[in-house]
Amino acid sequence: MSISVKNVSKSYKKVKALQDISFEVKPNELFGLIGPDGAGKTTLFRILTTLLFPNEGTATVSGFDVITDYKKIRKSVGYMPGKFSLYQDLTVEENLNFFATIFGTSIEENYDLIKDIYIQMEPFKNRRAGKLSGGMKQKLALCCALIHKPKVLFLDEPTTGVDPVSRKEFWDMLKRLQQKNITILVSTPYMDEAALCDRIALIQDGKILEIDTPEAIVKHFPKQIYNVRANNMYQLITCLNEYQHNHSVFPFGEFVHYTDSRKDFNPNELKLYLESKKLSDIEIEKTKATIEDTFMELAK
Amino acid sequence: MNRFIGFVKKEFYHIFRDRRSLFILFGMPIAQIMLFGFAITNEINNVDIAILDHSKDAVTQEIINKISASKYFSIKQLITREADIAPIFQKGHVKAVLNFEKDFSQKLIKAHGANVQIITDATDPNTANTISNYVNAILQQYQKEVNKEIVNSYQIVPQTRMVYNPELKSVYMFVPGVMTIILMLVSAMMTSISITREKELGTMEILLVSPLKPILVIVGKVFPYIFLSIINAIIIVVLSIFIFKMPVQGSLILLGMESVLFIITALALGILISTISATQQTAMMISLMGLMLPVILLSGFIFPITSMPLPLQIISNIIPAKWFIIIIKGIMLKGVGLQYIWKETLILIAMTIFFIALSVKKYKIRLE
Amino acid sequence: MNNSKVIQVTELTKMFGDFTAVNSITFEVKKGEIFGFLGANGAGKTTAMKMLIGISKPTSGKANVAGFDVFTQAEDIKKNIGYMSQKFALYDDLTVKENITFFGGIYGLSRKRIKEKSETLIKELGLEKVTNTLVGALPLGWKQKLSFSVSLIHDPKIVFLDEPTGGVDPITRRQFWEMIYKAAHQGTTIFVTTHYMDEAEYCDRVSIMVNGKIEALNTPKILKEQFKVDNMNDVFLKLARG
């Protein structure tokens, strides 16, 4: 196993940041840690990169224990902490050179690893990192984390706050990196990115809700979801919330994802109910569950 | 080794690209030295005084001439009545009034004593004191000359010599002190924010999850500032010699080496502060308050240590500045060599090693 | 729906030196509308919003908010709108009740009114048990809902929300949007910026800013038809790629 976490718990004074977390990441896997702010993602990352001690439990990275063999781990992993932590007043090239030198290598030595990403930044190589766009900064941070050909890559919310185009490009890069024999553990609050991982762990309030492949997780959704639409979103939500048989009512863009508490639910019944509430243009259709639906169902 | 060089390179980039730190590093010291040197002075020059001469004879005239000829005084006004004394002080035009009594020369010759009143504006007691001393000195000198001709005067004439600083030039007191303060403050402030800045920006996390050893980080951060502080020290010494005409009696090489030692001591102290501060603001506060005040008060810069109560004297021993001032005054003013200051030098070396060792120990290798 | 325009913007521009952050944008917002102001970080959304709420002076152009001119009547604008900033803008070291009382006071509410509003607010949000808890100790989602309610405490005509749902869990996000729907239903106009493209779907109309310019302005439905995609994220991708 590339990464192995067993019953890890961590508390800050009274706050339980992580509660009895266990999971494993296989070599060369692209593993996603999916959850909102405060779920415990960053705390977990810091424990795995040996920056924090767990209160309970054990963890190993590449076979090394995070407490006793921390030095070995620090030499061999790549780490991208959240929020653009590069040297803003150094240029792109200077940042890369610095990190390469610190790890006892050079840009040329592992150039093939970062080539695809670096080509996009090459026109800006003499620009200060602080003056790059959000998407560019993240790409630079990724290069700096990769420059010494780490075996395991830890990316803590690398796409938060970045525009959708750059986000997509970033994940394309991650997919390509997988083929170069690097294990990647990435955290994100964006549910749509979860679908791009090999396996994911859904985490909220320090607890893991479920671990599996994205497809399997979605299949586990216990009920049939219906897309419901009407002429007035607000009234629709209110009516559905008042409907006595509802199980979950969540707006999803132009529709509402509705699940019923009964096994033998007949959509027509719902339609009649809504019409009686003076709603019109009603549409009710079956739809597939998404990771977000599953997340909310598990978190309820 | 490569790692170390790469790290030092980065530190140099940071320093030169941050205008604020450049200003603190170079601008402040120059500004301070100029301020201290020109503005603060214990000497007096061209002080305006007024004369009330009730006698108007040859003796008073000669004394008045002597006073007028000295560069310390400038005779602004001659007043004629006692009643004029108070208003002239109130107006603030003069700082002293000399009041010669009637029949001055006759009393001097026949009664062996004539009175002259020296009235000074003591709203500034220091200046008043100095004025009064200087006038006295001039009077004593006149007396000596006059008495040379009188055979039967047995007098004990105290001869004071101000060794090393005969003119009591305040520059001699201030330059070593200010140099010490500047080197200490600038070096400590700069390094104290250096590590905390990495913590605040979040780059510390990346540095930790890397093969870099703590000692490399610490020494790497001290290194660039050594060079820059040396340049600072040179600028200060050059300014002192050429603008303030301060002599350097002793060996310039020894002065240079001791300065480098003190710079390293101050830098090490700054790094220590850095390892225990979480934010740059805290680090700056500690450097300013925790260092500046004790250095100014307890280093012997302004107030003599020997006149302080015993507990403070003991405390002053742990202040590196105290030892450096002794060293620097020794070299610049007394011209002594290493054999007289080896003890103080050794103390500084010991302090430096202690600060660096403590920094390495306190350097957090984890985030908690 | 009453069609009166509560926000009117004509060729509004903001330059910092020779960098144009907002480039001659023109649009209108109707009363009771939920208007989404989308764009990537750095596209100029926050700068534009700051001009509309009266805390930044435009370089050129015209704009009217709640009937007041942004150049000459900025202070009147501030009195008549609600604002929720990106970082939730509540005092972490004051309790829930103290925060409500404080902001009520700032908006000039009488003591009686503040008391009424406090009780209503706390009850609606289910915060009875944490009335005297420091806001800093509350979970993110609660803070955010409280912040939104506080921005409405003086019943403003328009409320400006700057990236209100950053980092919050999916359930709380939706609860938040239900609160927005309710406020809009009651006649408050909502001007919201976000970089979550799926939230764009909740809006009546959206505008998408790219590099300081408005490159698209319509209902989500029409935009999706126009770009032949089925979600707003893809609309943005197509737009950004040119």
Side-chain angles (χ1 to χ4, degrees), chain C residues 4-69:
Chain C
S4 64
K5 304 186 183 81
V6 288
I7 300 180
Q8 275 173 300
V9 177
T10 315
E11 289 173 10
L12 198 63
T13 304
K14 179 72 181 178
M15 297 182 62
F16 295 103
D18 47 345
F19 171 65
T20 312
V22 177
N23 195 343
S24 193
I25 58 176
T26 301
F27 66 94
E28 291 170 345
V29 179
K30 301 189 265 257
K31 179 169 154 72
E33 205 177 5
I34 301 180
F35 190 84
F37 208 58
L38 313 177
N41 287 350
K45 306 193 296 297
T46 308
T47 313
M49 192 190 240
K50 284 193 180 159
M51 287 194 278
L52 295 177
I53 61 178
I55 61 177
S56 169
K57 231 189 171 124
T59 311
S60 65
K62 279 196 327 184
N64 255 306
V65 174
F68 298 105
D69 181 282

Side-chain angles (χ1 to χ4, degrees), chain C residues 91-101 118-119 122-123 126-138 142 146:
Chain C
Y91 288 102
D92 279 343
D93 49 356
L94 295 184
T95 67
V96 169
K97 191 141 189 252
E98 285 164 357
N99 264 289
I100 299 176
T101 311
S118 290
E119 282 164 13
I122 290 178
K123 189 149 170 249
L127 294 175
E128 292 96 333
K129 289 201 183 134
V130 292
T131 312
N132 293 317
T133 312
L134 294 185
V135 163
L138 295 180
W142 295 21
L146 179 59

Side-chain angles (χ1 to χ4, degrees), chain A residues 56-120:
Chain A
E56 283 161 35
T58 58
T60 64
V61 174
S62 296
F64 298 120
D65 184 277
V66 298
I67 302 181
T68 52
D69 291 320
Y70 71 91
K71 282 193 193 154
K72 296 200 183 95
I73 296 181
R74 289 184 184 187
K75 283 193 189 133
S76 63
V77 304
Y79 179 43
M80 219 176 117
K83 286 155 198 139
F84 311 130
S85 27
L86 291 177
Y87 292 105
Q88 312 272 333
D89 52 347
L90 297 187
T91 67
V92 168
E93 194 152 25
E94 285 161 358
N95 263 296
L96 277 171
N97 263 321
F98 173 70
F99 286 105
T101 319
I102 292 302
F103 279 94
T105 177
S106 64
I107 300 184
E108 294 79 27
E109 215 173 298
N110 293 314
Y111 189 63
D112 59 311
L113 210 52
I114 61 168
K115 197 166 72 162
D116 303 328
I117 319 169
Y118 188 63
I119 286 189
Q120 291 183 29

Side-chain angles (χ1 to χ4, degrees), chain C residues 206-218:
Chain C
V206 298
S207 79
I208 303 184
M209 266 186 95
V210 182
N211 287 335
K213 286 209 186 124
I214 293 186
E215 299 287 358
L217 176 60
N218 224 316

Side-chain angles (χ1 to χ4, degrees), chain A residues 36-37 161 163-165 168 190-191 204 233-235 237 241 249-254 292 295-296 300, chain C residues 40-41 140 167-171 173-174 178 181-182 185 195-198 201-202 224 233 236-237 240-241:
Chain A
D37 272 12
D163 66 276
V165 176
K168 188 171 185 312
Y190 296 113
M191 305 278 156
Q204 172 149 304
M233 177 59 100
Y234 175 62
Q235 272 169 343
I237 297 177
N241 271 327
V249 177
F250 289 122
F252 260 80
E254 49 177 339
E292 193 155 11
F295 190 100
M296 293 194 291
K300 257 165 74 151
Chain C
N41 287 350
L140 200 63
V168 172
D169 69 274
I171 297 184
R173 266 210 290 145
R174 285 170 175 73
E178 285 180 39
Y181 276 128
K182 187 165 177 209
H185 185 76
H195 64 268
Y196 283 104
M197 290 300 148
D198 61 329
E201 309 258 11
Y202 301 143
K224 283 187 287 186
N233 200 40
F236 189 94
L237 287 175
R241 292 218 176 115

Side-chain angles (χ1 to χ4, degrees), chain B residues 15 31 108 121 138 181 265 290-291 325:
Chain B
I15 296 175
L108 192 62
D121 180 353
I138 297 181
I181 290 189
T265 315
L291 290 183
I325 287 196

